């Protein structure tokens, strides 16, 4: 009524301003006086949801109002908003179905119902509603898109239905869109872009590419919203799919006649198709050379036209049309002379370098001639010098001695310091001109580190600190340059220093989707080094980003429908799967659960249990993973040189990470099953069987991991031990693989105890005893493994220096402790229940294992904590962060150990 | 010379380096998706011959034909440092203008910080003029004024849309 509306008006204003807390207070007052005001209830639900308070209550409040929505438009609007934000799409569908049944001729409600179906991906209903809308409301209003909505719905059904998609839905979609086009043409209406786009999508899905091109030709004003350059690209893309090389070539020759409209894609197509056609046409190569030369002659200032000539030379070498790189060398020489002063010079020629890597100096100027006199440095001179050293690093450092590498590093540092004067006028928020010189210097130092990795550990750790010092100084001059910040994050993480890494990461202002592409640098090792809380924060923000993204994608698919942007619907639909299949997402979920287990081992909550179980059994999520890390985000002169055969650094590290994720999954799964066996009162046969299957899966994952390792024939130490390649698993994978024996034994124990619990009701004590005896044997083995196998990986203990290996050891010991403690916990449950002496012996053995691990962790932590890191860095704020990092790590792991000790004591009593 | 193509969802994973630049704003994902769903033809990406991402432009078309305010708007144009001063921004802007012309827009406009002289001069060289000054348009400490810069499209034959206003306007007066 009017009175309620008047009282609610300021509340609506508060909600609109995002002042939900205050709105909630007002609403409580209103509802106290008049508890039945539906608008107030709906508003309260919305506020609670947005404040993330009492979310379940908010959902049930909205559910209780669904029936009232039919009567009140404002309540309907509020409920609709709530249900969308709460992602209760099925309820939204139910709500609008009810409303439409009551008002079948209401256009707004019907289209809202259509959109509700879009959110639940109910394609069949989408089509029905769209046709209904078209039938009722499109009489005389041909501009309404309802019929096209129906076609797009059928098309999406065709795309997603692997059984009937091609045979049933696709032909239907085609028939429908053909009818629509025909009608438009007969009525003399302009054929719309969205109609044509849908027709193209149908034809593309049918793989009828020639028909797509015919459609382009038929409609002269085709896709009138698109600009020339995009239209051309689409034509060339279709022709590429048809392998119509001759037509592509001729078209490109035609296109390049108007130089102002040439884009690189056209030049690329011209070159690629010239190479293909060359087999049957000897004259095409010289004529293409002529075309490119003419373009360059007419535009001698253009780096791109000059580069086009180089690209043609390179393609000739790739396809073995030419054997000698002599001409390429000549072209590069010219290119360097004219464009060596461009900052992008190196990225242009990078792919050509492998053909001339034996003689890079043949096309570069003499080094000495590049060195400008001090006090007269120029930006162009700097870029030319930089280009020289980039090429040299890429091509020539193989086989260099440590001395030579150090000498090169010093030289580059000298130039860097000199050229800093060019940047005096720049703000600290701007990148410096000469950063690449510093980065090259750091890279050379790290080459020394990698070369000395096995022999001179103490000296080596100084190198890492030296690099950190150089980068920290550069950061103080240019504090937002990501090319300085990213290597710093990597180096700090390499040393297990989460505090400075996190601080710099925050400085990068990584937001939203950037998480997906670069958060791996931080999340890869944080929890391993004992930073459980920080790691959880990162995992939570990554998962939040994914959840919000998938939600907003649904809303924008709805928007795209409204705008007739059908191709974008396709793109967003695919991207939803891309997000869901993200390796980062699955890994962060697994990590988050593992850490929750760490922190809640005394009592695993039902929610946590269910969450872990749901994730672990979802085979699809683990088999369709996609890697979205952007490892090219950092300037890098090593990527290609470290790669081997067909394996890129991205591929190598991803393959290993993926296998390691499977291993982790199976280990966590075994614990979940063991806990389930412990808690359940019913038969354990199924669990025992599931454990055996998990064990087989675990073994298969280990085997697969070993296979990946042996398949990749390059020198792993180059890739995985490089401090800049801080990937998810890194070198630890090799150490962790040593734990497989330990894990196998734990599996055995779980299988035996879960079986014995079931059996204890029906088998003889003798048999039970033999089971326990077997467990005891395994436990003895376990002690041996922990004592010998793991510990022998690390030989130097008390030298007071922080070695990354020591951190690895710390991480392994913590992990083993966690697993063994869980094992004790589980076995003790049986031991006390069945009160068997043999079982108690097993527990005693496990206690020894755990204490042994505990002692070793303590020792390792102490030696890390007490190390003399002060000697490594001159930056005082860095020293502080180092101390803070190790103290924090120490604190968090100590608290975890205290928890375990408490648990052990309670078991002993 | 660049390869220009429409921006796709997957490209969001590839623009990390550009968006880490402190002067390039990283918006929430819904912001990008909104542009993709509404104005895909205004969301374009430039790739270098070596396959690097050189930059992108994001814009929209809005206003009223009846009031002759139907126009293209440049929301964001950004170029990787290595590829600056190469005419990439000019190319992207030209394509957006072409798309606006195809849509029958009267003009294309953009907002720029008054302190960003480099950008103002660059837009002037592309044919844009300062149409008006918008007071306190950019929030911050302190707030900063913006120039609303415009370039007339072929539909605005008499160039009515680009006649500069005498007085500055408040940000609340900007549509």
């Amino acid at each position: 009524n009017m009175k309620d509306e008047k009282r609610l008006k300021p509340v609506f204003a508060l909600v609109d301003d995002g002042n939900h807390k205050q709105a909630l207070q007002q609403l409580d007052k209103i509802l106290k006086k008049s508890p039945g005001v539906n608008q107030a209830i709906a508003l309260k639900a919305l506020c609670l949801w947005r404040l993330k308070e009492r979310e379940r209550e908010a959902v049930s409040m909205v559910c209780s109002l669904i029936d009232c929505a039919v009567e009140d438009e404002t309540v309907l609007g509020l409920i609709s908003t709530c249900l969308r934000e709460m992602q209760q799409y099925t309820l939204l569908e139910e709500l609008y179905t009810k409303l439409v049944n009551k008002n079948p001729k209401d256009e707004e409600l019907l289209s809202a119902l259509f959109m509700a179906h879009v959110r639940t991906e109910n394609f069949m209903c989408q089509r029905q509603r769209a046709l209904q809308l078209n039938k009722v409301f499109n009489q005389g209003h041909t501009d309404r898109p309802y019929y096209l909505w129906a076609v797009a719905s059928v098309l999406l059904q065709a795309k997603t239905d692997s059984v009937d998609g091609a045979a049933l839905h696709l032909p239907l979609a085609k028939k429908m869109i053909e009818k629509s086009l025909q009608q438009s043409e007969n009525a003399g209406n302009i054929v719309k872009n969205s109609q044509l786009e849908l027709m193209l999508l149908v034809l593309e899905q049918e793989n009828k590419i020639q028909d797509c091109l015919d459609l382009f030709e038929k409609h002269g004003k085709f896709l009138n919203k698109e600009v020339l350059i995009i239209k051309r690209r689409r034509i060339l893309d279709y022709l590429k799919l048809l392998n119509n090389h001759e037509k592509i070539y001729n078209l490109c020759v035609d296109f390049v006649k108007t130089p102002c409209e040439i884009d690189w894609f056209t030049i690329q197509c011209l070159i690629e198709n010239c190479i293909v056609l060359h087999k049957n046409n000897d004259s095409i190569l010289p004529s293409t050379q002529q075309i490119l030369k003419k373009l360059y002659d007419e535009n001698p200032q253009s780096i791109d036209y000059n580069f086009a000539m180089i690209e043609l030379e390179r393609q000739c070498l790739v396809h073995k049309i030419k054997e000698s790189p002599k001409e390429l060398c000549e072209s590069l020489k010219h290119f360097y002379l004219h464009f060596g002063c461009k900052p992008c010079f190196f990225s242009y020629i990078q792919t050509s370098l492998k053909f001339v890597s034996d003689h890079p100096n043949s096309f570069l100027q003499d080094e000495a001639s590049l060195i400008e006199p001090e006090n007269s440095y120029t930006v162009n001179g700097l870029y030319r010098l930089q280009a020289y050293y980039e090429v040299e690093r890429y091509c020539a450092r193989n086989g260099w001695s440590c001395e030579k590498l150090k000498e090169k590093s010093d030289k580059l540092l000298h130039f860097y310091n000199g050229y800093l004067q060019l940047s005096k006028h720049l703000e600290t928020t701007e990148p410096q001109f000469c950063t690449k010189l510093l980065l090259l210097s750091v890279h050379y130092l790290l080459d020394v580190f990698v070369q000395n990795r096995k022999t001179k550990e103490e000296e080596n750790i100084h190198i890492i600190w030296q690099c950190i010092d150089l980068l920290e100084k550069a950061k103080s001059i240019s504090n937002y340059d990501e090319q300085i910040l990213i290597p710093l994050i990597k180096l700090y993480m390499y040393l297990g220093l989460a505090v400075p890494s996190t601080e710099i990461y925050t400085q990068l202002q990584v937001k939203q989707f950037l998480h997906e592409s670069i958060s791996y640098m931080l999340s890869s090792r944080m929890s391993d080094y004992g930073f459980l809380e920080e790691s959880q924060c990162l995992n939570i923000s990554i998962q939040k980003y994914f959840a919000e993204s998938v939600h907003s994608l649904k809303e924008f698919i709805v928007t795209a429908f409204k705008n007739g942007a059908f191709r974008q619907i396709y793109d967003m639909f695919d991207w939803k799967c891309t997000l869901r299949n993200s390796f980062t997402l699955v890994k962060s979920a697994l990590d988050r659960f593992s850490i929750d287990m760490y922190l809640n081992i005394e009592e695993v909550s039902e929610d946590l249990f269910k969450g872990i179980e749901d994730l672990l059994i979802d085979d699809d999520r683990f088999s369709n993973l996609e890697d979205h890390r952007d490892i090219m985000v950092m300037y890098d002169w090593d990527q290609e040189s470290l790669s081997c055969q067909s394996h890129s650094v991205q591929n190598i590290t991803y393959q290993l990470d993926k296998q390691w994720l499977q291993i982790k999954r199976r280990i966590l799964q075994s614990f979940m099953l063991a806990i389930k066996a412990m808690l359940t009162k019913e038969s354990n046969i199924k669990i025992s069987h599931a454990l055996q299957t998990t064990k087989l899966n675990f073994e298969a994952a280990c085997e697969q991991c070993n296979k990946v390792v042996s398949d990749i024939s390059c020198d792993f130490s180059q890739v995985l031990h490089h401090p800049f390649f801080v990937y998810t698993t890194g070198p630890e994978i090799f150490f962790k693989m040593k734990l497989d024996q330990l894990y196998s034994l734990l599996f055995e124990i779980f299988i035996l105890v879960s079986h014995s619990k079931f059996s204890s009701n029906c088998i003889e004590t003798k048999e039970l005893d033999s089971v326990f005896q077997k467990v005891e044997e395994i436990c003895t083995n376990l002690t041996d493994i922990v004592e010998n196998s793991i510990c022998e990986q690390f030989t130097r203990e008390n030298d007071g220096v922080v070695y990354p290996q020591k951190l690895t050891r710390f991480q392994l010991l913590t992990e083993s402790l966690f697993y063994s403690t869980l094992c004790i916990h589980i076995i003790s449950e049986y031991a006390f229940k069945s009160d068997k002496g043999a079982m108690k012996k097993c527990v005693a053995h496990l206690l020894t294992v755990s204490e042994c691990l505990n002692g070793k962790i303590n020792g390792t932590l102490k030696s890390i904590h007490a190390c003399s890191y002060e000697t490594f860095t001159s930056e005082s704020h860095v020293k502080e962060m180092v101390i803070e990092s190790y103290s924090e790590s120490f604190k968090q792991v100590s608290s975890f150990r205290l928890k375990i000790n408490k648990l052990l004591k309670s078991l002993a009593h | 010379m660049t390869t220009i193509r429409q921006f796709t969802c997957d490209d969001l994973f590839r623009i990390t380096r550009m968006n880490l630049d402190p002067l390039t704003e990283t918006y929430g994902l819904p912001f990008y998706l909104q542009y993709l769903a509404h104005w895909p033809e205004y969301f374009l990406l430039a790739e270098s011959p070596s396959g690097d991402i050189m930059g992108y432009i994001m814009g929209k078309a809005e206003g009223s034909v009846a009031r002759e305010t139907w126009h293209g708007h440049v929301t964001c144009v950004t170029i990787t440092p290595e590829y600056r001063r190469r005419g990439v921004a000019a190319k992207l802007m030209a394509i957006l203008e072409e798309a606006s012309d195809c849509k029958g827009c009267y003009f294309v406009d953009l907002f720029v910080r008054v302190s960003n002289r480099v950008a103002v001069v660059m837009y002037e060289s592309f044919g844009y003029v300062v149409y008006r000054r918008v007071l306190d348009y950019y929030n911050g400490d302190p707030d900063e004024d913006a120039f609303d810069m415009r370039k007339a499209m072929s539909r605005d034959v008499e160039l009515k849309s680009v006649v500069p206003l005498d007085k500055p306007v408040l940000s609340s007066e900007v549509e």
Side-chain angles (χ1 to χ4, degrees), chain A residues 595-846:
Chain A
I595 297 170
D596 272 345
M597 287 271 287
Y598 262 106
L599 300 173
N600 302 294
I601 47 166
E602 304 100 320
E603 199 176 357
V604 180
S605 75
E606 246 177 69
D607 278 355
L608 176 59
F609 198 92
K610 175 112 189 28
I612 300 179
E613 227 180 15
D614 285 351
L615 173 72
L616 295 176
I617 57 166
D618 192 347
D619 276 332
D620 281 352
R621 298 205 67 184
F622 286 89
S623 52
N624 301 319
L625 295 171
E626 290 178 26
D627 180 18
H628 304 140
R629 290 171 307 161
D630 184 358
I631 70 170
M632 303 303 284
V633 72
M634 193 176 99
Y635 288 145
D636 201 327
W637 300 271
D638 294 335
Q639 290 280 343
E640 207 158 317
S641 56
L642 286 179
S643 302
C644 58
Q645 294 165 14
S646 59
H647 301 290
S648 66
V649 169
Q650 180 126 17
N651 186 30
I652 292 171
T653 53
Y654 178 57
Q655 288 308 321
L656 285 173
D657 287 354
K658 220 163 54 165
Q659 295 312 323
W660 184 243
L661 191 75
Q662 288 291 358
I663 292 175
K664 271 173 104 170
R665 172 192 177 195
R666 300 307 179 189
I667 293 168
L668 195 60
Q669 203 167 20
S670 75
F671 282 107
M672 298 315 292
L673 286 166
I675 292 171
K676 203 171 177 181
M678 187 172 84
L679 297 174
T680 185
K681 287 174 185 161
E682 291 158 20
S683 156
N684 273 350
I685 281 190
K686 270 189 189 167
I687 296 174
S688 188
H689 182 70
L691 267 165
Q692 278 174 29
T693 314
T694 310
K695 189 183 177 216
L696 289 177
N697 283 332
F698 165 78
E699 283 164 359
C702 288
E703 198 180 315
Q704 189 60 31
C705 193
N706 279 324
K707 192 172 173 301
V708 171
V709 170
S710 59
D711 271 1
I712 304 164
S713 55
C714 76
D715 178 10
F716 273 109
S717 62
Q718 284 277 316
V719 180
L720 296 174
H721 293 280
H722 197 292
F724 276 162
F725 297 109
V726 188
Y727 297 107
T728 317
T729 47
E732 285 84 352
I733 198 154
F734 300 106
F735 295 117
K736 281 183 172 174
M737 288 302 291
K738 300 281 174 198
L739 282 175
D740 59 0
Q741 255 182 302
L742 170 89
Y743 295 138
S744 275
L745 289 177
L746 295 182
F747 273 102
E748 288 285 340
I749 294 175
F750 291 152
I751 293 167
L752 283 169
V753 293
S754 70
H755 183 68
S756 72
K757 190 190 172 196
F758 164 69
S759 309
S760 61
N761 298 326
C762 56
I763 62 166
E764 295 294 318
T765 318
K766 261 188 191 173
E767 284 178 58
L768 199 58
D769 278 343
S770 74
V771 170
F772 290 157
Q773 205 176 337
K774 174 86 177 148
V775 174
E776 195 190 341
E777 278 169 29
I778 294 172
C779 290
T780 318
N781 281 341
L782 199 69
T783 321
D784 288 346
I785 289 169
V786 172
E787 279 288 345
N788 306 319
S789 254
I790 304 171
C791 296
E792 78 186 12
Q793 299 296 321
F794 313 97
T795 47
R796 303 170 66 170
E797 284 202 32
N798 298 313
D799 42 22
V801 177
V802 185
Y803 294 118
Q805 286 90 332
K806 196 171 273 182
L807 288 158
T808 309
R809 170 200 169 137
F810 158 64
Q811 151 205 341
L812 281 178
L813 291 172
T814 312
E815 194 171 297
S816 318
L817 177 66
F818 164 63
Y819 290 135
S820 305
T821 311
L822 262 177
C823 194
I824 294 164
H825 193 49
I826 290 159
I827 290 182
S828 65
E829 281 287 318
Y830 296 104
F832 289 118
K833 273 181 196 156
S834 52
D835 197 24
K836 293 289 168 192
M839 206 57 173
K840 280 199 166 182
K841 268 192 215 167
C842 302
V843 176
H845 268 291
L846 281 168

Side-chain angles (χ1 to χ4, degrees), chain A residues 7-8 11 26-35 37 40:
Chain A
R7 284 156 72 196
L8 283 169
V11 184
Q26 298 292 327
L27 287 165
D28 280 336
K29 278 184 200 164
I30 294 169
L31 285 168
K32 206 173 175 184
K33 279 187 190 165
S34 336
V37 182

Side-chain angles (χ1 to χ4, degrees), chain A residues 228 233 263-265 304-305 344 347-348 511-513 516-517 549 556 559 563 568 571 575 630 632 635, chain B residues 1-3 9-10 12-13 16-17 26 29-30 32 34 36 38 40 49-50 52 83 86 95 98 102:
Chain A
L228 184 69
R233 163 123 201 190
D263 71 337
W264 179 256
F265 188 71
D304 299 299
Y305 289 126
C344 55
S347 46
Y348 268 64
K511 283 189 281 188
Q512 294 274 334
F513 55 87
E516 167 75 323
S517 49
S549 301
F556 287 111
T559 312
N563 286 290
Q568 278 63 40
D571 187 22
W575 209 53
D630 184 358
M632 303 303 284
Y635 288 145
Chain B
M1 203 190 302
T2 60
T3 295
C9 293
D10 266 343
L12 286 165
F13 296 139
T16 317
R17 190 191 286 183
T26 298
L29 193 78
Y32 297 97
Q34 183 193 349
L36 275 175
H38 270 280
S50 53
D52 293 343
Y83 292 102
R86 294 272 317 274
I95 294 173
E98 194 185 331
C102 291

Side-chain angles (χ1 to χ4, degrees), chain A residues 35-85:
Chain A
V37 182
N38 290 335
Q39 285 188 24
I41 300 172
L43 269 173
K44 186 178 174 179
L46 188 63
C47 291
L48 285 175
W49 181 263
R50 287 187 178 167
L51 286 167
K52 302 203 181 306
E53 284 174 17
R54 289 143 58 197
E55 286 163 321
R56 280 185 193 173
E57 189 189 330
V59 175
S60 68
M61 281 165 86
V62 175
C63 291
S64 73
L65 288 176
I66 285 184
D67 287 335
C68 316
V70 183
E71 314 299 334
D72 185 333
E73 260 186 43
T74 318
V75 176
L76 171 63
L78 283 168
I79 294 181
S80 172
T81 308
C82 284
L83 291 175
R84 271 184 281 128
E85 288 191 20

